[in-house]
Amino acid sequence: MDWLEVVVLFLQHLWLSVVPLLLGLAVAIPLGWLARRYRRLYAPMLGVTGLAYTIPSLALFVALPVILGTQILSPVNVVVALTIYTLALLVRTVADGLGAVPDDVRQAALAMGYRPLPRFLRVELPVAVPVIGAGLRVAAVSNVSLVTVSALLGVPQLGALFVDGLNRAYLAPLITGIVLCVVLALLLDGLILLGTRALTPWQRERGAT
Amino acid sequence: MIEFDAVTKRYPDGTVAVDSVDLHVPSGKITVLVGPSGCGKTTSLRMINRMVEPTGGRILIDGTDTNTSDPATLRRGIGYVIQHAGLFPHRTVVDNVATVPILLGWRRKKARQRAMELLELVGLPPELSDRYPSQLSGGQQQRVGVARALGADPPIMLMDEPFSAVDPVVRESLQDEFLRLQQDLGKTIVFVTHDIDEAIKLGDQVAVFQAGGHLAQVATPPDLLADPADDFVAGFVGKDRGYRALSFTPADGLPLEKEPTVEVGADAEVARRTSVEGWVLVLDDARRPQGWLDVSRLTGEDEVTPTVLHRGGTVASATGSLRGALDAALSSPTGRGVIVDDIGALLGTVRPAQVLVQIENAAAEAEARH
């Protein structure tokens, strides 16, 4: 087992987890807004995205090349699949986070003369950050774990160490893979936590008088 | 000036929230909309800045139909104070107050400068400016809400039950400060409350709403108490109307009697000699009444101490109302009501019968004027 190879796998795993997380968040924000804005959409939208989360990941990794016309080994399949899963988790989070914005805050923003888009971006979304941040942490950890499954198709990332360990009945790569996955999950979780805190100084100060 | 011209709000399900309301809101005055819950008072308020769109009639501000203005622009020119303050939790106090100036395109520095001035105006210490709303008490939050509504110095202020979520003591001081502020600012204010006492205290004009969005009566507070338009208004305005109406009759001209007094710390023997009918009024060194002394309780004491004083009687200001004077006379253990000047120094005493004569005279004068 080559250490340089392990580092490369770690970095591969990192971007395969993070890119879908960011893409998923970018799509979840407008979808979550729609689900709040048009209440009739809330149940069907969460139904569809929730259903997407139940598709087995392996099936999705295999099906996507057929749908997208990509190579079976292409990391694009992993990114698209995980974006779908992230979306499934985050649409609900964003919708509920926006729903948790107190009504008097929303009314005050309207009464002050905010137009709809600035009202969303500068009042409602910032106030929903704590809830969205919590959902993002769950999605990040879930992504780190789901990425490993693509090892069965041969997409290089830390999951490859599991396959290697199993094939050779050799514990070292198996354990290295597990430990590094846990490290990566904790790392992303911690970063999102710090980011959420940095964006919400008002939460930290709560009751600190 | 705000004009409601046959304004109606009917929801798609057929519910009528506001039913053909005509109302004239004069400039520079406080108009209070009052009524039980679900009477359409808040809906009426929100139609002024188009947070709710009327389904019939027109609302004119200084002659311009609000329907012809862009809603966001209209709202930036109208201050709005919401129940529970509705402060933005993610912004500091100063940034909350600077909201509207920044929306109007002011530079951040100038907007914050303006916000600091407003915080001072509403009586908040500058060190609170970089706190977050969750770190403030309810009363402080409400002051920030008022400061935020004053952000761009709008000529019109809409206030939706702004003081109903704070405790009674804080509410009273907020109301008093609000009246003092309005004396300086002279805004055109529309104020919604369900509390008739608040309406009578704050309003230059009170509009009483009835279930179904009907406007039952528009009148000045004294007229509302003296002459309710119908059973609903009479019931809503409540009991003790005659007594409460005395709040609007000035107490000047009451015949005051000189009252023999002693100071705190005076010799017990002097107090005994000064007393009338067994009681003597005790003052501090600034001639402010401290309480009545029952000289029979002075056994074994060498001098008058604050602990032996009777504290039950209220004290009325000569520049206040006849309601205060009558209450002072009724609550005094001696039947002699204590009347003071603006700085709280004793002017004299008055008996209930004398206050009643004054009340009758005032009523006769009012009758003669009509």
Side-chain angles (χ1 to χ4, degrees):
Chain A
M1 192 166 55
D2 182 352
W3 280 112
L4 186 65
E5 190 191 335
V6 172
V7 170
V8 169
L9 291 177
F10 184 85
L11 292 177
Q12 285 273 7
H13 204 113
L14 177 68
W15 86 260
L16 283 174
S17 308
V18 169
V19 171
L21 194 66
L22 297 179
L23 288 175
L25 179 64
V27 182
I29 287 175
L31 287 183
W33 176 82
L34 277 173
R36 285 305 306 175
R37 176 68 183 74
Y38 303 98
R39 298 296 163 89
R40 280 171 303 136
L41 291 180
Y42 184 85
M45 200 181 281
L46 292 188
V48 169
T49 51
L51 209 61
Y53 199 74
T54 65
I55 304 170
S57 49
L58 191 55
L60 203 54
F61 291 142
V62 176
L64 278 174
V66 180
I67 300 166
L68 301 174
T70 44
Q71 297 287 316
I72 187 112
L73 276 180
S74 166
V76 171
N77 303 326
V78 180
V79 168
V80 171
L82 290 187
T83 301
I84 291 171
Y85 290 132
T86 305
L87 199 56
L89 289 173
L90 286 186
V91 169
R92 176 186 292 274
T93 301
V94 171
D96 292 352
L98 292 173
V101 175
D103 196 48
D104 49 4
V105 170
R106 212 189 305 271
Q107 294 292 330
L110 181 67
M112 295 299 117
Y114 275 103
R115 293 183 200 284
L117 188 62
R119 186 162 82 235
F120 176 69
L121 293 178
R122 288 165 60 187
V123 179
E124 293 174 14
L125 198 55
V127 174
V129 161
V131 177
I132 296 174
L136 210 52
R137 287 169 67 189
V138 174
V141 173
S142 152
N143 277 2
V144 169
S145 144
L146 282 172
V147 166
T148 58
V149 177
S150 66
L152 294 176
L153 307 173
V155 179
Q157 29 73 21
L158 291 173
L161 295 173
F162 303 169
V163 178
D164 183 38
L166 283 173
N167 286 345
R168 296 197 283 148
Y170 186 41
L171 272 182
L174 204 60
I175 291 171
T176 310
I178 291 170
V179 168
L180 287 180
C181 274
V182 170
V183 168
L184 183 57
L186 288 177
L187 184 75
L188 290 178
D189 188 63
L191 280 175
I192 295 167
L193 184 64
L194 286 178
T196 310
R197 286 221 182 129
L199 283 174
T200 58
W202 48 284
Q203 284 266 314
R204 223 174 328 152
E205 304 281 345
R206 186 176 292 267
T209 39
Chain B
M1 188 179 65
I2 306 168
E3 205 86 46
F4 281 69
D5 177 13
V7 174
T8 296
K9 176 66 187 181
R10 185 189 300 272
Y11 286 101
D13 67 357
T15 326
V16 177
V18 176
D19 189 8
S20 193
V21 163
D22 292 302
L23 178 65
H24 173 82
V25 176
S27 295
K29 302 278 186 209
I30 301 173
T31 296
V32 180
L33 314 184
V34 68
S37 53
C39 68
K41 54 191 192 295
T42 297
T43 308
S44 298
L45 184 83
R46 291 173 164 218
M47 287 194 287
I48 297 171
N49 70 352
R50 293 185 64 187
M51 287 172 72
V52 174
E53 298 284 355
T55 49
R58 303 181 304 162
I59 296 177
L60 308 172
I61 296 180
D62 294 330
T64 309
D65 191 336
T66 52
N67 216 3
T68 60
S69 355
D70 162 59
T73 312
L74 177 75
R75 289 174 196 141
R76 289 173 195 174
I78 298 177
Y80 195 97
V81 185
I82 201 169
Q83 196 181 0
H84 306 295
L87 300 180
F88 301 132
H90 61 303
R91 292 199 190 146
T92 58
V93 165
V94 66
D95 286 336
N96 262 284
V97 177
T99 300
V100 178
I102 285 181
L103 279 175
L104 289 172
W106 294 26
R107 284 206 316 280
R108 189 163 289 271
K109 195 178 163 199
K110 190 179 158 215
R112 288 190 170 204
Q113 212 170 352
R114 164 79 181 152
M116 293 303 287
E117 290 167 16
L118 286 168
L119 288 175
E120 195 187 335
L121 185 71
V122 299
L124 282 174
E127 60 266 27
L128 290 186
S129 64
D130 50 12
R131 301 262 176 92
Y132 288 96
S134 62
Q135 298 171 283
L136 304 185
S137 71
Q140 289 170 332
Q141 292 189 21
Q142 210 46 260
R143 284 166 202 261
V144 177
V146 172
R148 182 175 65 177
L150 287 167
D153 199 18
I156 297 173
M157 297 267 283
L158 309 180
M159 308 182 78
D160 188 2
E161 307 224 10
F163 307 140
S164 62
V166 291
D167 70 70
V169 178
V170 176
R171 185 184 316 149
E172 192 163 336
S173 75
L174 285 173
Q175 288 169 344
D176 292 340
E177 270 174 64
F178 166 68
L179 286 175
R180 213 170 317 131
L181 208 59
Q182 166 65 358
Q183 272 194 332
D184 296 340
L185 300 176
K187 302 284 183 195
T188 304
I189 294 173
V190 185
F191 189 110
V192 164
T193 179
H194 61 266
D195 176 359
I196 185 69
D197 290 316
E198 185 169 66
I200 285 171
K201 177 174 178 182
L202 301 181
D204 294 306
Q205 163 180 282
V206 177
V208 182
F209 280 72
Q210 193 171 353
H214 299 287
L215 188 52
Q217 186 173 8
V218 184
T220 62
D223 286 350
L224 195 66
L225 288 166
D227 190 14
D230 56 26
D231 284 350
F232 167 76
V233 178
F236 188 75
V237 171
K239 295 190 194 313
D240 306 325
R241 293 196 290 276
Y243 181 60
R244 282 153 64 197
L246 291 178
S247 302
F248 301 102
T249 316
D252 52 354
L254 272 177
L256 299 183
E257 279 166 38
K258 264 186 85 72
E259 183 70 31
T261 59
V262 295
E263 267 191 32
V264 174
D267 190 78
E269 190 44 44
V270 175
R272 242 176 244 119
R273 259 188 285 122
T274 315
S275 67
V276 179
E277 295 161 16
W279 290 87
V280 63
L281 184 62
V282 179
L283 309 180
D284 68 2
D285 53 7
R287 291 193 53 76
R288 287 186 299 243
Q290 300 300 295
W292 289 95
L293 173 65
D294 178 354
V295 290
S296 68
R297 292 188 60 191
L298 272 178
T299 48
E301 317 252 355
D302 305 335
E303 61 177 44
V304 177
T305 58
T307 50
V308 297
L309 297 181
H310 180 282
R311 303 277 186 180
T314 58
V315 169
S317 162
T319 54
S321 69
L322 282 177
R323 179 177 175 169
L326 184 61
D327 192 74
L330 293 176
S331 65
S332 166
T334 64
R336 309 197 291 272
V338 178
I339 307 295
V340 297
D341 64 14
D342 281 339
I343 54 168
L346 178 72
L347 288 173
T349 54
V350 65
R351 290 183 174 275
Q354 294 168 311
V355 183
L356 290 177
V357 168
Q358 190 73 9
I359 291 168
E360 287 186 343
N361 291 345
E365 268 176 45
E367 190 62 33
R369 269 201 306 272
H370 275 200

